[in-house]
Each structure stands twice: as structure tokens, then as C-alpha cells.
Amino acid sequence: MKPLKIAMMSMTHGHTRKYYQVLKENPKLDWVAVSTANDEVKEIFLNSVDGIPCYDSELAMLDAHPEIEAVVLASENSDHLRQMKLCAERGIHILSMKIPTFDMDEYEEMIKIVEENGLVCQIELEMHYNPVIARLKELVKNKEIGDIKAFNATNITLSPVWAFPWQGVPEKSYGKRVSIKEGDHRFRGGALCDHPHIFDMIRHMTGSEFDTIYAEVAPNIRPDLEEEDMLSVIGRMKDGTIFSLDPSWSKMENRLKVPGPGWEVFPKRMEVNITLHGEKGTVMADCFGPNVYHSGLPNDRYTVQYTYFDEWVGLIDEFVDNIRNNKTPLINLKWHKKTVEAMNACYESIATGQPVKL
Amino acid sequence: MNVMQEKLAFLLDKYSVEAKATLLNRDVVAVDGAETPLLSHCLERRFIELKNMVLNNTLSGVSVMRVARIIHKGADINVALYREFDLCQWILGEIICQVTAFQNGNVLNVIATTKSGIVCTIEISATLADDMEPIDKHEIIAEHGIGCDVVVDAQLKQDSVYVFGDTKQKFTDVDFELYGLSIEDIAIVRSAFSLAQKKNGAEHIEADCYLNKLVAAAEKSAERCERVVL
């Protein structure tokens, strides 16, 4: 199979660096170029990767490399529609970050652009390429604990806003400045916008859609943020399954400009745990482990050192297969729309103080 | 119950407590004839320490308390909810004033908010086989620090002693004076002793009354699909 000629745009997204290794090592890919959104991310990229042409503008990159077949939109949420249009005009396939947009009119426009131009647009929800998730899906399919009665999950991390400042700006993260609730100084766009995975996974595992959602925002553990960093979500799926989801930034971080060793204040920087309660029992899963531990440099502080972060390998394999074999991505724009709608319902519930029926 | 009553008598005698205390069951003690709810779970040492972390500001600026408890099939999830409501209020030192709940048979998820706005998430399920011990986790997330009764990067608690002989055994011994009792039995004896010593049964009766209101609010919320404000 001919290697897919791929490029990256912006390089401002927190997941940008996850692609460095896979884009260089995957034999199905030919990494052609990148364009950077600003000097800061350009410097970080040039210090991290050798031998890939780096452009200051998207247009300059696209004009210089008409051979580009696909682009990873490694950008802030507010840039996605504009960049999708740029790609669509040239027939370039798209790998979008996990939130294409929270604006449902924009979302419809994205669907239209992709369909009209016959493009593959895959959404980056990398948990589907995690081996623990694969095991969970198998256990659910085999009805190991019978029909699912509850899906409880955490998708909790440190806050990335110090390294990826756009995530702390409501207009760039949520798309506009909307008060989180009356009398509260905070705006939409924080931790919830960073953590769609568990909202997506419950739909896959139950085969059902959201029926009712209730969400509550808690006091920020980072009072200087203007977005929410702590929230809790409960509710019910249409098949009766109840859920409890925690998409918070509840792990405290050192405020590094570039993620790396010493980012954590709390020893564990990230957790995706899923507990399924079924008619015949319970399954508890930690999607990232077992791990190793150290108390070494740079802070001599007890730290969880993860041993597995290879989700992007499977994700890129699927992306290439979708393009070369004209397949629809598992996580495509239409599928993902209901996940984004559920996340918007969380904000609506926080604002109204009542459960929201979808 | 006899062993616990004996241990209680031992403590009453050792510390010269004159009140007469009789354990009527695992939930109620009679102190000089007055029946009082034990609320014994609060006297598990892990919860005393979590409360201390909040009280002495080790965990400063509490935002969220997350609780999960899995009990055996057939057990009453509302009894478990009562316990966890009590623990949240006792550890945080605040009254819960808003409750939203979703129930699906023997599983229940609740978001409760305290007067100062701390959000408590409580996940209860009755899905374990009869021979399994309850599984639970209590986590407090604050501006300065996280406190938890499960070690970082683990899903289950550790035990103190593991025996790998002809059969596997494990022990968790947490009280030298009451050596031999389980953690739950120790808490029952300690709670009965405390009530006999401090004669603060009225506080327990008041707490029990409010906890029953909270459980009723959760039932109402689950039934009507609405947030209930107390």
C-alpha cells in the first residue's frame, strides 16, 4: 500500500506530541510537513522533531505540498471549522481533535462539507485503541455480568491550560464566552471540554443514547481559572442504564509551559477508570496500568510513571485504512454529534440546576 | 454480638464509665435504657483521619467528595446511601442541602451539595456475591491536596496481612485493645463506648433524623427526575 502523505496543522493541541512518534514510525505514513500557529509551538516542534518541513502558515504549507492527502488538525477547537474548509477545498482527508466544535450549527456545516467533498473525517477518540477498553468491550459483548445497569467512569487529569493556553480561553475552547451559571464568575470551556471520552464510551458499551443528564459544577481547585475545573455528571441512558461521570481536572499540576517530567503535583497525572454494574456482578477497570513508580528527579516527589500510551498507533492505523479502503471511521462526525450534544446538555443542566432531557 | 458486648464491657470497665450500655443490634445501642443510633461507620479510623485532614486544613479548600460503595446483592441500597450521606456530612463538617439521584434497581447514583457548595458524588450498587466483603472508596479533592482511603493508582484497598498457605487468608487488624474484631465490629464497639462515655446520644438522634430526610429526598429525586432542595 502506498504510504499516506500526511501533515499536521497548528500544533497547539495538547495531543500534538502524541503524533510525533507514530507519524515518524508508521510505515503506512509519509509525514510531509507541519504548519505552526505561533512561534512558541514552532520552537517546541523544532526542538522535538528533526527533518520535517515546518511552515508558519497553513496556506504556505498546502501550496508547497499539493501531495498532502490528509491532515491532523492539532489545533484549538475554535479553529477546526476554518481548517476543515481549507482541507475540503483541496480534497484533503481530516483527523480532527476530540471536539470538532460545541456549536451545533457549525457542527452541521462540518458534516455537510465532509459529505459534499467525499472526505474521511475521523475524530480522535483514542480510548477505542486502548487494550483495557478492548477487554471491557469483549466482557460486555459476552454479557459477563449480564445486561449493564450502571456505567460509572472517571476521565480525570491535571489541567493542561498552562502548557496549552487556548484551553483556558472560553472563546477558543467552548467557542464563545458563556457564563456557567447565574451569579458565577466562571465560563464554559474548562474540564468538561477536555474530556469527551467517557461520554462516547458509554454509548458504545450500552448501545444506547443519552436520555437525561444532570451536572453540577463544584468550586474550582484552581481559583484563578475563568473556566470550570471540577464537575460531576449523573443521569440515565434510554435503555435505563444509569451513569456517573467525572470529567474533572482534579489532579493538580505544576504550571509547566512544556509538559514533561515534574508536571505532576499529585503523583498520578491522569486516570480513566470504568466501573460497570450488571445484573450478575461488577467489573472495575483501570485503563492505564499497571504502572511503575519513582521518587526521583526533577522534584524528588512520588510519581506514577505510566507504562502504556500507545493508543495513537491503532488510531492512525484505522485512519489510513479508512482513507485507502474508503471506509467510514468508527468515530465519525455524525456518530460523535450525540456525544457533543450530551456534553452541551451538561452545561445546560449546570445553568438551570435541573436534569436535562435529551 | 456477644463478643462485641464483652469487648464493650471491657472498655467501660477499663475506663471507669458508669453508664450501662447494651448493644441491641449492629445499628442501635441502649445507653442507660435510652435507645440511640450508633452511626458506627464514622468511627472507622480511616474516616476519622479523613475528617482530621479537613478539620486541620491539611486539605484546604475542599471542592468535591467522591464516594463509591459496592455491597452484596439483596442488600438495601438506601441503607448504604444513609451511611454515605452520614460520612460525607461528618467528614466535611457540613450539612447536605441539595440531592439529585438516579436509580436502576439495585444501583444508585447521587449528586449532593453541601451548604457551602461542596459537591458530593455517591455511587452505590448491590451487585457483589454474598461471600464478598463490601468494596468502597472515599476521596476528598481540595484546592490543596487530595485525601483518599485507597492508595494512589489502585482500585482496591490493601490488607495488613496476607497468608499464602494451603488456603489463602488475609487479615486487617486495626485496634490492639479490640484485637480480633473486624473493622466494622470495632467501629460498633467504639461508637457504643463513645456514646456511653460522652452521653451525646441526642446528637446522634438528630443526625439520624436528618439522614432519613436525605434518603427520602434521594428517593423522591429518583422518582420525579428532579433536584430536591432541603
Side-chain angles (χ1 to χ4, degrees), chain A residues 245-274:
Chain A
L245 308 175
D246 182 352
S248 299
W249 284 333
S250 53
K251 308 300 186 196
M252 193 55 78
E253 67 286 335
N254 284 310
R255 298 182 171 193
L256 303 186
K257 283 269 189 190
V258 181
W263 203 8
E264 306 87 350
V265 169
F266 187 77
K268 189 173 182 176
R269 70 170 65 166
M270 185 272 299
E271 169 190 301
V272 179
N273 282 9
I274 297 176

Side-chain angles (χ1 to χ4, degrees), chain A residues 148-150 152 154 212 214-223 230 232-236 240-244 246 250-252 266-268 271 273 275 277-282 284-286 288 291 293 304 352-355, chain B residues 61-64 66 69-70 73 98 100-113 116-125 127-128 135 137 139 141-146 152-156 222 225-228:
Chain A
I148 298 176
K149 299 187 77 173
N152 298 339
T154 56
T212 312
Y214 178 77
E216 189 103 43
V217 69
N220 271 17
I221 60 173
R222 300 167 190 82
M230 296 292 298
S232 301
V233 182
I234 57 174
R236 187 185 302 279
T241 303
I242 61 168
F243 57 83
S244 170
D246 182 352
S250 53
K251 308 300 186 196
M252 193 55 78
F266 187 77
K268 189 173 182 176
E271 169 190 301
N273 282 9
T275 299
H277 298 298
E279 286 177 330
K280 296 195 291 181
T282 289
M284 297 172 70
D286 178 347
F288 296 97
N291 296 307
Y293 310 89
V304 177
T352 61
Q354 287 297 339
Chain B
V62 174
S63 170
V64 163
R66 290 186 53 79
R69 185 164 170 85
I70 314 174
K73 285 174 197 162
Q98 287 179 15
T100 310
F102 287 85
Q103 184 176 350
N104 184 11
N106 58 344
V107 291
L108 176 68
N109 289 332
V110 175
I111 292 179
T113 312
S116 77
I118 296 172
V119 173
C120 305
T121 307
I122 303 172
E123 301 166 358
I124 307 275
S125 72
T127 49
L128 295 179
I135 296 168
K137 180 177 180 178
E139 186 177 33
I141 301 156
E143 195 178 328
H144 294 280
I146 292 177
V152 173
D153 205 29
Q155 297 183 74
L156 301 173
C225 195
E226 65 183 24
R227 180 175 68 177
V228 175

Side-chain angles (χ1 to χ4, degrees), chain B residues 36-64:
Chain B
T36 311
L38 280 165
L39 307 178
S40 60
H41 36 264
C42 294
L43 288 198
E44 287 187 29
R45 291 194 177 196
R46 55 181 171 146
F47 299 131
I48 293 171
E49 289 310 319
L50 285 173
K51 180 179 178 64
N52 285 340
M53 287 176 199
V54 175
L55 206 60
N56 66 23
N57 243 13
T58 299
L59 299 173
S60 165
V62 174
S63 170
V64 163

